[in-house]
Amino acid sequence: MKRFFSVDDVANLDVLLQEAIHIKKNPLQKSELGKGKTLGLVFLNSSLRTRLSTQKAAQNLGLNTIILNANQEAWTWEFEDGAIMNGRTVEHIKDAAQVLSQYCDIIGIRCFAGLTNKEEDTSEKVFSLFEKYATVPIISLESATLHPLQSLADCITIEEHKPKNKKPKVVLSWAPHIKSIPHAVGNSFAQWMTKIDCEFVITNPIGYNLDTTYTKNITIEHNQEKALQEADFVYIKNWSSFDEYGKIIETNEDWMLTNEKLKVTNNAKIMHCLPVRRNVEVSDEVLDSPNALIYQQANNRTFAAQVILEKILESNENT
């Protein structure tokens, strides 16, 4: 593995999940693998779970870590080729990426969608440029369209808690929010669910369909109650409109998940990537119930990152 951007970079997801679960049983089994090597973590946006879990995974492998909060601690980056840099930008991304590559053996970078320019976001301009100019393996810590480490952790969690002798029904349900939220988690979860053995349904209000690049051949149900029937897992997540890009479209329906709504499920396990707006997206009674897997998901972020770092370290060790 030379890079990690999406599920398409995974050779065999079933095998990868079992390897991650094996790592979880003994996280320090390869504590010398990264000895003498450095992981750079570059954040253009805020982070809690991604930052700390990836750093912990690196430490479990003996990697040194360098963290750069690029929007606060670095020079302002320029992303346009041929730009005359006589304005607010100070350093071109081609220079920053190549310099960071000299300090680090692997680089993880996190950037969000701007939600104003659909073409720019869907083209993954920031991530693609950074990867273009970097000379070491690159890991996505979330990008404008996808969040692969989160989705891998979600798949690990489902694998650990899925019903025996039954194909699980997994529902991704849109939820309300007070501001416009990117599509990365929803897109990514949809993409990864097509690679595991499950019945997968997305439910959202009319006007909130995700990018068809990630949802083709997936059932999309605009009636939340119908979608939730007999669900084994319910994943809650907000996203802004994709068609009316980045906008919040008013809906008269109540989409917040409550215990009452869960009565039609198969005693479903509840998932959310966190952070969560309690009693806006999901009620306290749901999040604090024994069926909530939100902390297990957060815990599995470490092992998702660790199995990817292992793959990259081992593949580069053999070249």
Side-chain angles (χ1 to χ4, degrees):
M1 183 179 283
K2 301 296 184 181
R3 50 105 72 168
F4 183 64
F5 176 74
S6 77
V7 72
D8 294 333
D9 296 311
V10 175
N12 187 314
L13 180 55
D14 290 335
V15 171
L16 190 70
L17 293 178
Q18 295 309 315
E19 288 176 344
I21 291 170
H22 179 71
I23 287 169
K24 187 174 181 177
K25 294 174 182 176
N26 182 9
L28 301 179
Q29 60 188 310
K30 295 184 180 180
S31 59
E32 297 292 312
L33 183 62
K35 186 176 181 179
K37 296 185 182 297
T38 299
L39 171 68
L41 300 176
V42 179
F43 292 91
L44 280 76
N45 303 90
S46 301
S47 176
L48 189 156
R49 279 148 293 277
T50 300
R51 180 188 304 258
L52 298 184
S53 63
T54 309
Q55 189 173 9
K56 182 176 180 180
Q59 291 171 347
N60 287 346
L61 294 170
L63 280 160
N64 298 313
T65 56
I66 297 173
I67 297 177
L68 176 66
N69 297 308
N71 276 355
Q72 292 107 29
E73 299 168 352
W75 301 112
T76 305
W77 287 353
E78 174 62 60
F79 299 101
E80 299 297 331
D81 281 336
I84 299 172
M85 293 173 54
N86 61 356
R88 61 180 294 272
T89 57
V90 179
E91 184 163 26
H92 201 284
I93 192 170
K94 69 170 67 176
D95 302 320
Q98 291 186 66
V99 169
L100 285 166
S101 297
Q102 295 180 75
Y103 304 149
C104 306
D105 300 280
I106 304 170
I107 299 175
I109 182 168
R110 179 182 178 100
C111 52
F112 284 0
L115 293 180
T116 56
N117 186 323
K118 180 190 284 191
E119 183 179 356
E120 188 172 288
D121 287 345
T122 56
S123 70
E124 290 288 359
K125 181 177 180 179
V126 174
F127 185 92
S128 296
L129 282 171
F130 193 92
E131 185 174 38
K132 175 183 177 181
Y133 294 118
T135 58
V136 298
I138 303 299
I139 296 173
S140 171
L141 305 178
E142 187 171 4
S143 68
T145 64
L146 296 171
H147 197 347
L149 286 177
Q150 179 64 57
S151 296
L152 176 52
D154 297 335
C155 288
I156 295 168
T157 308
I158 290 172
E159 179 67 19
E160 291 177 317
H161 295 273
K162 67 183 181 182
K164 295 179 180 178
N165 305 317
K166 175 184 180 294
K167 179 189 291 189
K169 179 178 179 180
V170 181
V171 177
L172 171 62
S173 179
W174 182 91
H177 207 284
I178 65 169
K179 64 178 184 179
S180 293
I181 299 294
H183 308 91
V185 172
N187 288 342
S188 195
F189 189 70
Q191 186 187 53
W192 286 68
M193 285 300 101
T194 63
K195 304 296 184 180
I196 69 171
D197 187 23
C198 71
E199 177 188 352
F200 182 55
V201 178
I202 300 174
T203 184
N204 55 259
I206 293 172
Y208 279 101
N209 283 3
L210 290 165
D211 185 349
T212 55
T213 301
Y214 308 105
T215 62
K216 56 187 175 184
N217 302 321
I218 292 173
T219 300
I220 298 172
E221 174 58 62
H222 297 304
N223 182 318
Q224 188 185 38
E225 181 179 1
K226 182 178 178 182
L228 292 175
Q229 289 177 1
E230 298 303 315
D232 297 293
F233 297 90
V234 180
Y235 197 117
I236 308 301
K237 188 69 182 81
N238 173 267
W239 56 84
S240 55
S241 174
F242 182 75
D243 291 335
E244 296 188 41
Y245 194 63
K247 294 183 179 179
I248 295 177
I249 301 172
E250 293 298 325
T251 176
N252 294 325
E253 300 172 82
D254 177 15
W255 281 78
M256 184 179 80
L257 192 68
T258 62
N259 276 346
E260 183 64 28
K261 290 184 178 183
L262 289 170
K263 287 181 178 179
V264 300
T265 71
N266 185 28
N267 195 29
K269 303 293 186 182
I270 307 305
M271 303 178 70
H272 192 290
C273 61
L274 300 179
V276 60
R277 297 268 183 169
R278 284 174 172 260
N279 303 309
V280 175
E281 297 174 76
V282 194
S283 67
D284 278 336
E285 62 182 3
V286 172
L287 291 169
D288 296 332
S289 75
N291 279 18
L293 298 178
I294 56 175
Y295 304 132
Q296 290 90 328
Q297 287 173 264
N299 185 42
N300 282 334
R301 290 298 307 274
T302 297
F303 311 111
Q306 190 165 335
V307 73
I308 295 301
L309 289 170
E310 277 194 20
K311 292 291 185 186
I312 291 175
L313 287 168
E314 289 171 346
S315 64
N316 283 275
E317 200 174 55
N318 297 327
T319 56

